Amino acid sequence: MVHQHIAEAREWARRPKMINTHEVENQVPAREDVDEYSSNVPLVEAVARWGSGGAEASAQGLADVGALVGSAAFQRDAERANTHPPVLHSFDRWGRRVDEVEYDDAYHRVIGAAVAAGAHTSAAAAPGPGANVDRAAAFLLFAQVEPGHACPVSMTHAAVPTLELAASGLRDEWMPRLLSRAYDPVLGGAGGAGPKSSALVGMAMTEKQGGSDVRANTTRAERRGGAGSWGAEYGLTGHKWFCSAPMSDAFLVLAQAQHGLSCFFVPRVLPDGSRNVFRIQRLKDKLGNRSNASSEIELDGTSGWLIGEEGRGVATIVQMVTRTRLDCVIGSAAGMRQSVAEAAWHVRHRRAFGELLVDQPAMAAVVADLALESEAATLTAMRLARSYDSDADDSEQAFRRLATAVAKYWVCKRGAGHAAEALECLGGNGYTEAFPLARRYREQPLLAIWEGSGNVIALDVLRVLTREPAAFEAFFAEVGSAAGESPVFDDALEAARSLVRELSATDAAGAALLARELTERLALVLQGSLMLRFSPSGMADAFVRTRLGDEGGRQYGVLPRGADVAGILARA
């Protein structure tokens, strides 16, 4: 009996001591006041490899951005911008129609900082080798912490090549505004301070009857008189089902002119300082992306200026769409980085069952697997950004034509599941709005939808196959650089090539059924090639064996036996 009491006493002594009910123990400290750039090793390496010649000024600028977005103040602004969403004001207090969107001051601080850092158009303002990589890195850092503002930042970046096709008067007046690093949230004209020295540009293509099928658009464009310095003016009438960032200063809009679907430049404020007809009917109540207003708009004799030729609207605006697709990839990679960073931080500070979570093999494997996905996405985004630089030759341009669609499909689709697994690492805390991964979980699906959902993108890959075979040659020349590094990769590469040959001889219906498989295979061999060439061997081996081989599971955390989990976690 005595021995029994002693054993019970020892057991009682080993139990956690009782604490005051309001004393907090074993909670993870806030992950704030960190340098998000320097701590993101794959991003730092990618900028050194593909950026603007490894210029110290560029690296220092990105370090400054990393410190800013990692600060407690910026994180509070990111949270506030999402918990105090935009509000539509259709009329002023005297009953005049104004169609303005009010944002919290936190949102203005966030987007103002992004514009000041050149996350929108720095690559166009100072073009050259690596300029798009530097810009992509800055964009990624801002989108990692607050993704909603990235929408107008991305559209402004992407509008530049389309605006180059405008009449000289329009281009000369508006291009400096797009390239400016100033941020002014007030529309010019009535009640504003116009003319403005800076501008954000959005787009409005989607209509309720057509969705992604923009050729089904019914918005009409009727010619008005002769052409002025801005080119030919038209009156636009119709309804746009989705118009993101309606507070922007101008929009690229698709409408049906006499000779077919055409692209128009629609400013919110007209040259004489009066407001253009741009009726914001309502703001969308979205699953996520709460800080960014998305709207339905009505055009009623709205003034627009033709860009490009009548009937060539899709060809004119495609350069904008291509670049916003690139930013979808970068934005998804940004979300994956946030998810990994938050999950890794949590497991390094939280104890359970007597040990830190990071020291428990099952949890360590999950976070390591998430880190593999994040690194592959970052490499893909940065390599793709490099192909958009001004020195890109014909081969690079052909590569990006296919690789943009392939990466947009795969990386963006992987985002939602990746966020869900990372959120689970935080347990119940992750599912609360007090922590950023709940917001991220709601955010990630958007980038798989925006600028073309899965089927639209996969069918675009098929169109490239039939119309631009040089793009496939350039793509396989790029990924083939890793041939011989891994038998698993070599087998996957040959399987992808075989499927391309098969589809080249298949009818349209049969090819459409295999479009997703083709796109997935191409994405994985691209990521596998990049990992083999540029990531540590342990990470590359684990990625290739799990994603291209048969050693991975259907969920995160199933890694090959002998995988260097500790090394992967240290890099994360």
Side-chain angles (χ1 to χ4, degrees), residues 40-43 45-46 49 368 371-372 374-376 379 485-486 527-545 563-572:
N40 188 343
V41 178
L43 181 62
E45 292 177 352
R49 181 182 307 115
L372 290 178
S374 176
E375 175 143 348
L379 281 173
E485 296 292 328
S486 160
Q527 290 193 320
S529 175
L530 291 168
M531 292 287 282
L532 285 168
R533 286 181 284 156
F534 304 120
S535 295
S537 59
M539 292 195 74
D541 178 70
F543 181 89
V544 169
R545 289 164 66 187
D564 182 15
V565 172
I568 296 171
L569 288 175
R571 188 172 171 85

Side-chain angles (χ1 to χ4, degrees), residues 476-477 479-480 483 492-502 522:
F476 280 113
V479 300
L493 181 59
E494 179 52 36
R497 285 188 170 123
S498 295
L499 185 56
V500 170
R501 289 192 292 268
E502 177 185 345
L522 293 175

Side-chain angles (χ1 to χ4, degrees), residues 85-88 101-103 107 148 151-152 155 243-247 280 282-284 286 289-295:
V87 177
L88 172 63
V101 181
E102 179 185 1
Y103 293 80
Y107 176 88
C151 173
M155 290 191 294
C243 174
S244 291
M247 82 299 174
I280 304 175
R282 64 171 173 171
L283 300 185
K284 299 286 192 179
K286 297 173 292 184
N289 199 239
R290 307 293 273 184
S291 69
N292 177 46
S294 297
S295 65

Side-chain angles (χ1 to χ4, degrees), residues 17-350:
K17 300 297 187 292
M18 296 297 292
I19 61 174
N20 184 289
T21 186
H22 292 296
E23 185 178 345
V24 178
E25 289 192 354
N26 197 31
Q27 283 286 359
V28 174
R31 186 178 179 275
E32 55 190 28
D33 295 326
V34 298
D35 180 354
E36 295 288 8
Y37 176 65
S38 299
S39 62
N40 188 343
V41 178
L43 181 62
V44 171
E45 292 177 352
V47 171
R49 181 182 307 115
W50 293 310
S52 57
E56 292 184 8
S58 174
Q60 182 57 53
L62 290 171
D64 291 343
V65 172
L68 171 65
V69 302
S71 68
F74 190 91
Q75 292 183 34
R76 283 194 296 271
D77 277 347
E79 181 179 7
R80 185 174 178 86
N82 283 272
T83 55
H84 294 72
V87 177
L88 172 63
H89 297 290
S90 299
F91 301 90
D92 67 13
R93 57 180 173 169
W94 296 281
R96 290 187 288 259
R97 186 108 195 195
V98 292
D99 295 290
E100 292 189 357
V101 181
E102 179 185 1
Y103 293 80
D104 190 87
D105 288 344
Y107 176 88
H108 292 306
R109 287 191 291 269
V110 168
I111 194 171
V115 170
H120 62 329
T121 56
S122 61
N132 272 286
V133 177
D134 294 345
R135 177 260 160 193
F139 180 81
L140 185 150
L141 290 167
F142 280 101
Q144 175 182 329
V145 181
E146 204 302 293
H149 82 287
C151 173
V153 169
S154 172
M155 290 191 294
T156 304
H157 154 71
V160 169
T162 297
L163 191 60
E164 292 282 6
L165 304 175
S168 60
L170 178 61
R171 184 180 65 248
D172 293 346
E173 183 169 338
W174 281 87
M175 190 66 79
R177 300 180 188 179
L178 271 66
L179 301 183
S180 170
R181 293 201 181 191
Y183 170 67
D184 183 356
V186 179
L187 289 173
K196 294 176 64 173
S197 63
S198 63
L200 297 175
V201 175
M203 72 170 87
M205 296 193 294
T206 306
E207 297 185 6
K208 53 192 170 216
Q209 79 284 346
S212 297
D213 183 8
V214 296
R215 296 189 183 279
N217 283 4
T218 60
T219 297
R220 303 188 314 277
E222 298 179 355
R223 180 73 181 266
R224 290 175 175 168
S229 63
W230 283 19
E233 182 182 351
Y234 290 68
L236 277 57
T237 301
H239 185 94
K240 294 296 180 179
W241 189 236
F242 276 96
C243 174
S244 291
M247 82 299 174
S248 298
D249 300 285
F251 297 84
L252 296 181
V253 177
L254 291 181
Q256 299 285 358
Q258 180 181 358
H259 298 292
L261 195 64
S262 307
C263 180
F264 298 90
F265 182 85
V266 176
R268 288 295 310 272
V269 177
L270 296 171
D272 64 4
S274 63
R275 294 288 180 95
N276 205 356
V277 179
F278 192 90
R279 295 177 182 148
I280 304 175
Q281 301 298 82
R282 64 171 173 171
L283 300 185
K284 299 286 192 179
D285 186 9
K286 297 173 292 184
L287 169 69
N289 199 239
R290 307 293 273 184
S291 69
N292 177 46
S294 297
S295 65
E296 296 172 35
I297 62 167
E298 200 80 24
L299 307 175
D300 187 6
T302 303
S303 294
W305 281 262
L306 180 68
I307 298 182
E309 303 174 19
E310 268 198 21
R312 297 277 297 166
V314 174
T316 300
I317 207 170
V318 72
Q319 289 296 328
M320 183 177 190
V321 173
T322 300
R323 282 165 172 77
T324 48
R325 284 181 175 180
L326 167 63
D327 281 355
C328 286
V329 179
I330 300 169
S332 293
M336 289 183 184
R337 173 57 190 171
Q338 182 184 42
S339 297
V340 168
E342 294 291 338
W345 179 270
H346 181 85
V347 301
R348 286 190 172 111
H349 291 87
R350 178 79 168 179

